Amino acid sequence: MIYLQLFYNFCKIGLFSIGGGYAVLPLMQQVIVDKMGWITMEQFSDVITISQMTPGPIALNAASFVGIQVAGAMGTVQGILGAAIATAGCIFPSFVIVLFVAYMYYKYRSLSVIDGLLYGIRPAVVSLIASAGVGIVIMALFTDSVISFKSLDYVAVALFAVSLALFRIFKKKLNPIYVILASGLAGIVVYSLI
């Protein structure tokens, strides 16, 4: 039964994942954290972090990790099957929609309505990505979902500020992977001392 729920819920997520992985994060949070309660908000934050660090689209990586978490443990047959089903559910609607849109676009590409439709979707996609970005900043910099100085994680703010300063100082010469690794190591050291 859990496999059907995984497939169905990730089909819903995949169906409305217009704009890519970051745009789908608020919907993914609503379904897997708020509605289904499969993982906590802290685990969701960890899933997003791991999904960004691993190769591949963020939504598919997140679907795989959630599938493993919900269906079984890492390395078990149930966990692998859960990851495969959640990932397939996330991909399936997009696959069908892209096939349909490609056929329709190829057939009617000379119509001006198609250009208007594509231009109309852009602001909605930007707002979804901005919403996901704000949500990630709140999860990363505040200990509670309430934004206040009392719940501000000063270590996270300092790590964020140093990382941002490094990018500004070195511009395009600095590899983001090194900044992520250095921030992770600094976080391990600082949080273990607190």
Side-chain angles (χ1 to χ4, degrees), residues 10-81:
F10 277 101
C11 266
K12 285 194 306 188
I13 291 169
L15 184 62
F16 297 105
S17 63
I18 297 169
Y22 293 108
V24 78
L25 291 180
L27 177 62
M28 193 176 284
Q29 175 192 338
Q30 181 185 15
V31 171
I32 65 176
V33 176
D34 300 337
K35 182 182 174 194
M36 299 305 293
W38 284 333
I39 59 175
T40 65
M41 193 62 189
E42 186 176 328
Q43 289 173 318
F44 183 70
S45 177
D46 293 341
V47 164
I48 299 306
T49 304
I50 293 169
S51 296
Q52 290 176 336
M53 292 172 53
T54 53
I58 190 169
L60 296 183
N61 291 340
S64 299
F65 289 124
V66 171
I68 289 170
Q69 183 77 20
V70 170
M74 181 74 96
T76 64
V77 174
Q78 294 87 1
I80 293 169
L81 187 59

Side-chain angles (χ1 to χ4, degrees), residues 2 8 12 49-50 57 65 72 76 86 108 149 179 192:
I2 192 67
Y8 173 72
K12 285 194 306 188
T49 304
I50 293 169
F65 289 124
T76 64
Y108 300 110
F149 285 113
V179 175
S192 65

Side-chain angles (χ1 to χ4, degrees), residues 17 35-36 88 99 116 122 131 139:
S17 63
K35 182 182 174 194
M36 299 305 293
L99 284 179
R122 287 182 186 172
S131 171
M139 281 189 301

Side-chain angles (χ1 to χ4, degrees), residues 8 110 133 145:
Y8 173 72
S110 60
S145 59

Side-chain angles (χ1 to χ4, degrees), residues 141 154-169 183:
L141 300 181
Y154 294 105
V155 173
V157 171
L159 288 172
F160 175 72
V162 169
S163 300
L164 191 61
L166 287 174
F167 274 116
R168 294 297 298 160
I169 292 169
S183 297

